[in-house]
Amino acid sequence: MIIPHDKYIRQPYFKLLREDGDWYVVSVHASRIGNYYTDDGSTVNELWLKKSDCLAKNYIELNTSNAKRQAVVKYALGLLGKGYKYGGNGPDEFDCSGFVNNVMSSNGIKVARTSTEICSAGSNVSITGLRPGDIVGRSGHVGIYIGDGYFVHAAESSTGVITDSLEIYNRSAAFTSYRNVMGD
């Protein structure tokens, strides 16, 4: 299934704001991006990526025909670049559980507000059985699986809402809970 959803730059997915010559300008909300950071701790709202260094797609391939799962992923990706704030419930700043709670409740799915409670919601699935819209987490942090080995989450104050590779993330801060809260 292919869901049109603006343009995203893959690895990770960024929300494209505009193109400027040989550059993509993408939405971020961060004081640190990779090894680069602002000296004064200020927040960067736009990141310029050289087109030749990116693989641009105007779609995201979801391995599901389930309309509810598609809606959850589409809504979650629409929040890329929003800020992080501990205790944040949105619409412009989130913490991880506030992000998951907001995305799910906006799609008619009731989940708890804390990461610990979210990690015990619904039914358990294996990491190999993850489908778009499932929750990935551990006590202290949660996100939403979007497919193709990636998840979206409100990471931290220096990055805001971003996507990450599940494989790479699990190397340093492994998730222990994979949950289906969709009821299917």
Side-chain angles (χ1 to χ4, degrees), residues 108-127:
I109 303 162
K110 186 175 175 135
V111 295
R113 177 57 181 84
T114 68
S115 60
T116 301
E117 292 172 311
I118 291 171
C119 285
S120 62
S123 58
N124 192 45
V125 297
S126 69
I127 191 170

Side-chain angles (χ1 to χ4, degrees), residues 36 41 57 61 64-65 68 72 102 107 111 114 123 131 136 155 157 165 167 176:
Y36 300 95
K57 295 172 125 182
E61 296 177 44
T64 184
S65 59
K68 187 180 275 190
V72 164
N102 180 285
N107 285 281
V111 295
T114 68
S123 58
R131 294 181 290 165
V136 296
S157 59
S165 162
E167 178 185 353
T176 57

Side-chain angles (χ1 to χ4, degrees), residues 75-86:
Y75 187 88
L77 290 173
L79 298 174
L80 285 173
K82 297 290 186 179
Y84 178 93
K85 180 180 180 184
Y86 182 76

